[in-house]
Amino acid sequence: TPTGLYLEPAATNLIASQSSESSSWNQYFNSSVSTGFLDPAGTNTARKWTYPDNTVTNHQLSQINYAVSGLAANTTYTYSFYVRSDDTNPTNIRTAIYNTGASTLHLNKVFTVTSNWQRVQSTVTTDSTGGLILIHIRTTTTKQDTYEAFGHQLELGYHASSYIPTSGSTVTRAADVYTSTANLTETFEPRGLLIEEARTNLVYYSE
């Protein structure tokens, strides 16, 4: 069993609204959203997305998207959210991220979704104009697909940090702080927290 202490740096969730049915999220090609479903945190705030049964070629464009403005140019961000299917058949969902005006596709990633909650993430670097990106969440088949989603987060960096709830504005989580008070009555070996950067030993035989 992994042991240790994990300290996170400060992070800001740039997805200001978690409500997929709000005006911040746009629904296209007959996709719909309903509310009040059990989420990974044990509350009923997950949203159910339904993509209709449609045999037209552009069915994969049934989507829900979110626009984020004010991003820095040539900077890496990570988008993440929790998702599951509402049935036992594994299916796919596609996350696409575009630049301002949706003229350039930065990233197009497909995830396999099961009936268990999982957190999926996509990392993207903005172009030289920065500004705004569009996050599209699409179906990939012509049959009706239904997903439950929770915890949308866009943040600076290459990895997703723990979920930061928002409700109408961006939220910043302060960096974790570890404080240890010495107990002089103890006779154990000195204890503390040692944090090292990753290193690789390039010598094949060190003995």
Side-chain angles (χ1 to χ4, degrees):
T1 301
T3 59
L5 179 64
Y6 177 55
L7 301 179
E8 288 192 302
T12 299
N13 186 356
L14 301 173
I15 303 291
S17 175
Q18 296 297 315
S19 301
S20 304
E21 73 281 4
S22 74
S23 58
S24 300
W25 292 85
N26 297 301
Q27 302 167 34
Y28 293 100
F29 301 98
N30 299 317
S31 60
S32 62
V33 176
S34 50
T35 62
F37 296 91
L38 186 66
D39 60 50
T43 60
N44 294 316
T45 61
R47 267 69 181 176
K48 179 175 286 189
W49 302 338
T50 300
Y51 298 99
D53 183 1
N54 198 325
T55 58
V56 299
T57 303
N58 288 333
H59 170 76
Q60 68 270 20
L61 293 178
S62 293
Q63 62 188 258
I64 297 172
N65 67 34
Y66 188 93
V68 184
S69 61
L71 301 182
N74 302 312
T75 302
T76 299
Y77 295 88
T78 294
Y79 171 62
S80 61
F81 67 102
Y82 293 87
V83 64
R84 71 176 178 182
S85 173
D86 71 341
D87 59 40
T88 58
N89 297 317
T91 186
N92 292 331
I93 196 168
R94 183 187 307 275
T95 299
I97 300 180
Y98 293 84
N99 72 334
T100 303
S103 60
T104 301
L105 177 64
H106 287 311
L107 179 144
N108 191 20
K109 194 170 184 179
V110 176
F111 301 97
T112 298
V113 180
T114 69
S115 58
N116 296 316
W117 282 111
Q118 62 174 308
R119 194 183 194 190
V120 299
Q121 66 180 54
S122 303
T123 299
V124 64
T125 300
T126 57
D127 57 24
S128 59
T129 62
L132 175 145
I133 62 172
L134 295 172
I135 300 169
H136 296 244
I137 303 171
R138 303 173 173 174
T139 181
T140 61
T141 69
T142 57
K143 69 180 181 66
Q144 176 170 312
D145 280 326
T146 304
Y147 307 95
E148 294 174 12
F150 168 81
H152 303 277
Q153 186 155 303
L154 179 71
E155 60 194 299
L156 191 66
Y158 288 88
H159 304 284
S161 65
S162 58
Y163 172 53
I164 306 170
T166 60
S167 58
S169 61
T170 62
V171 174
T172 298
R173 181 192 59 241
D176 292 334
V177 176
Y178 174 77
T179 302
S180 177
T181 303
N183 184 346
L184 299 180
T185 64
E186 292 183 344
T187 58
F188 301 110
E189 292 295 322
R191 298 179 299 174
L193 176 67
L194 176 63
I195 300 176
E196 289 189 303
E197 63 181 3
R199 294 176 180 269
T200 301
N201 186 353
L202 300 178
V203 178
Y204 293 113
Y205 300 98
S206 57
E207 296 183 357

